[in-house]
Amino acid sequence: MPRMSKVELYAAIRRDHRGGMSMRELERQHGVTWRTVRKALDSSWPEPRKKLPPRATGVDRYKPVIDEILRADLDAPRKQRHTVTRIFHRLVEEHGADVSYGMVRYYIAARKPEILVESGKAPLEAFVPQTHQPGHEAEVDFGDVTIRLAGELVTCYLFSFRLSYSGKAVHRVFASCGQEAFFEGHVHALRTLGGVPRTKVRYDNLKAAVARVLGLSRARVEADGGSPSNRTTASKASTAAQASRAPTRRAASRDRSATSPATTSSPSPRCPRSPS
């Protein structure tokens, strides 16, 4: 029998406890101590593992020397900077270091980017968490998807309407990507969700929604039919004009859409032959 993960073990203990088993019976049934049983009953998620303190290595005493070399290389000509091999040989020859090349290389790979940031010669990576109010925003994507219809690969078009806060999404496949299908997808999604986002619906540069991008201003001209959110709801349409300043948000949206169970199509979905 394969060994259970800790999450599965906790779920089994909680399930057996709801079935009326006592603490001692749970210990014998699952081969655990009373502490584990108590933790499983108190929380459905195991506690995160404690990080062990880093072990001392032979390179620790030479870290200030390596840091000094790396800082001196910041102002040195490109072809005169130290390689990892040269630093290793200097430690052995000048300081009598008894360290391996791999340990030196590992430390330099982790420390060099930090020294660049400390010196102001490299940008500091930062992340801005997304925050959404319940029911306020939604995201729309409309792209092609390949399915197997009656034994043949056919390109169809998948409409996705996703609420930004909850992640609840509605999907519909169409045979074309025209504005009629675009609008019908909105009507189907809003009816299924039972409401309309309060503030805005975000769009990428979909041909069905955006007719033209205007020069350097990146302003968008809506298609002749207008945005469905402007025509049929009180929500405000928001195209990629704002998203172009935050590409990570658009990438995250595409990643979520790509990993959504309803949109995953590998291998291609098979559709039965329609009765004639």
Side-chain angles (χ1 to χ4, degrees):
M1 182 177 178
R3 186 178 179 182
M4 282 194 232
S5 67
K6 210 164 186 180
V7 175
E8 293 172 333
L9 175 62
Y10 276 33
I13 293 175
R14 293 167 69 87
R15 181 176 60 251
D16 292 342
H17 183 261
R18 288 194 298 269
M21 294 181 68
S22 66
M23 295 280 288
R24 289 186 178 274
E25 290 173 333
L26 291 172
E27 293 174 27
R28 289 193 294 268
Q29 174 72 17
H30 299 282
V32 296
T33 64
W34 67 270
R35 288 188 178 87
T36 303
V37 174
R38 175 48 56 195
K39 288 179 181 178
L41 298 180
D42 291 341
S43 174
S44 58
W45 290 99
E47 296 178 355
R49 288 188 176 183
K50 296 181 180 178
K51 291 185 178 181
L52 298 176
R55 295 185 301 175
T57 63
V59 79
D60 287 348
R61 58 184 297 188
Y62 303 105
K63 286 181 178 179
V65 178
I66 298 175
D67 291 354
E68 184 179 351
I69 295 174
L70 294 177
R71 291 192 179 96
D73 280 350
L74 294 175
D75 300 321
R78 184 178 185 85
K79 293 189 176 181
Q80 296 180 16
R81 297 173 188 170
H82 288 73
T83 62
V84 177
T85 303
R86 179 57 185 149
I87 294 176
F88 171 71
H89 287 315
R90 284 192 60 181
L91 292 176
V92 175
E93 296 169 3
E94 299 176 12
H95 301 275
D98 184 16
V99 294
S100 67
Y101 173 82
M103 295 170 62
V104 175
R105 182 181 61 183
Y106 179 80
Y107 174 73
I108 292 176
R111 183 63 178 139
K112 192 172 183 178
E114 297 175 354
I115 290 179
L116 288 172
V117 172
E118 292 171 2
S119 64
K121 295 191 175 183
L124 177 65
E125 290 188 359
F127 301 91
V128 180
Q130 295 191 64
T131 56
H132 301 286
Q133 296 296 321
H136 276 240
E137 299 178 15
E139 304 161 12
V140 169
D141 197 9
F142 196 25
D144 57 285
V145 61
T146 303
I147 66 173
R148 190 172 294 275
L149 180 62
E152 297 183 2
L153 287 176
V154 180
T155 299
C156 298
Y157 300 89
L158 178 67
F159 177 88
S160 301
F161 189 102
R162 180 183 179 278
L163 296 177
S164 301
Y165 175 78
S166 65
K168 183 177 178 62
V170 177
H171 309 284
R172 191 161 188 174
V173 177
F174 294 94
S176 73
C177 59
Q179 279 197 342
E180 295 85 356
F182 190 59
F183 291 153
E184 184 179 343
H186 283 81
V187 173
H188 170 71
L190 297 177
R191 284 179 176 170
T192 302
L193 295 172
V196 177
R198 295 182 181 179
T199 56
K200 65 178 67 174
V201 178
R202 302 185 185 277
Y203 298 91
D204 202 347
N205 293 330
L206 305 173
K207 290 183 179 179
V210 177
R212 189 169 71 249
V213 179
L214 300 179
L216 297 177
S217 67
R218 309 301 294 170
R220 268 61 175 169
V221 176
E222 291 184 358
D224 293 338
S227 169
S229 59
N230 288 340
R231 290 164 54 108
T232 61
T233 74
S235 299
K236 176 183 176 183
S238 175
T239 61
Q242 296 88 350
S244 64
R245 305 189 189 100
T248 54
R249 181 179 63 196
R250 296 174 61 192
S253 175
R254 284 194 294 268
D255 290 343
R256 289 193 301 267
S257 179
T259 56
S260 174
T263 60
T264 302
S265 55
S266 178
S268 301
R270 297 178 179 271
C271 298
R273 184 188 299 273
S274 55
S276 56

